[in-house]
Amino acid sequence: MAKKVDEATKANNRVVATNRRARHNYAILETFEAGVALMGTEVKSLRDGTASLADAFATVDDGEIWLRNLHIPEYHHGSWTNHTPRRNRKLLLHRKQIDNLVGKIRDGNLTLVPLSVYFVDGKVKVELALARGKQAHDKRQDIAKRDAAREVTRELGRRAKGMG
């Protein structure tokens, strides 16, 4: 039986910001969903759909994972209780997940990169990726593969239309 999805639920489940450069600069090995400890004005500002993951990254300090450089602009209806736009925010993960991430980061040359910020049932979540930095030649290879795949699909489309 299909679950009914009302309009309020659709509005509560939406992507606020994505980090498109992350997939270009890093090879994504594994992804995680983490909650974020936020202030009230930060959530209201995110509901307006304004955030930037451009320079954001995650670090591990004293067994806790922190999201740094996530820019959430000040809430325009806020008062003296408004938040600072680039403060450090704690990510909420299970202890086993944190220990697993710490081990993998310590072993290899890996980093934690936020891929997107979104709402799930009214709660703010961050898609966090365990990633390895790409070299320039790896980026060029990816672009060449993407271009080749695009040419193949274009040629197949032409042949299907009888133009090739």
Side-chain angles (χ1 to χ4, degrees):
M1 183 164 186
K3 189 175 166 184
K4 288 186 179 178
V5 179
D6 60 347
E7 293 301 316
T9 306
K10 279 186 189 175
N12 278 342
N13 296 344
R14 63 187 177 94
V15 176
V16 176
T18 57
N19 189 352
R20 294 173 58 210
R21 297 293 299 167
R23 295 193 188 274
H24 179 72
N25 292 333
Y26 297 96
I28 308 300
L29 304 176
E30 205 174 341
T31 59
F32 301 91
E33 182 180 72
V36 190
L38 297 172
M39 296 173 63
T41 54
E42 290 173 321
V43 177
K44 290 178 180 185
S45 186
L46 285 173
R47 287 200 191 284
D48 287 344
T50 56
S52 174
L53 283 168
D55 300 325
F57 62 98
T59 58
V60 179
D61 296 333
D62 298 329
E64 295 178 338
I65 298 184
W66 293 86
L67 185 61
R68 302 185 189 281
N69 276 351
L70 168 65
H71 185 268
I72 301 175
E74 287 187 353
Y75 184 56
H76 56 91
H77 294 302
S79 60
W80 58 272
T81 59
N82 239 337
H83 62 277
T84 54
R86 284 199 186 270
R87 74 179 189 90
N88 297 335
R89 296 165 178 96
K90 188 175 181 180
L91 293 179
L92 308 173
L93 288 163
H94 292 283
R95 173 56 48 199
K96 285 184 178 179
Q97 288 177 313
I98 294 173
D99 293 341
N100 184 13
L101 284 173
V102 168
K104 287 182 179 180
I105 290 170
R106 203 171 282 144
D107 290 344
N109 190 13
L110 303 177
T111 185
L112 288 172
V113 180
L115 297 178
S116 62
V117 176
Y118 53 94
F119 283 96
V120 174
D121 296 329
K123 294 176 180 65
V124 178
K125 302 288 183 179
V126 172
E127 184 181 15
L128 199 62
L130 188 64
R132 177 174 281 120
K134 284 186 187 177
Q135 301 293 327
H137 63 275
D138 293 334
K139 293 178 190 177
R140 286 193 294 271
Q141 285 175 348
D142 286 349
I143 291 170
K145 286 179 189 174
R146 201 167 46 234
D147 289 346
R150 190 178 302 130
E151 279 299 316
V152 167
T153 55
R154 191 175 292 153
E155 187 61 33
L156 288 174
R158 285 188 191 129
R159 288 187 182 177
K161 293 176 184 173
M163 300 163 85

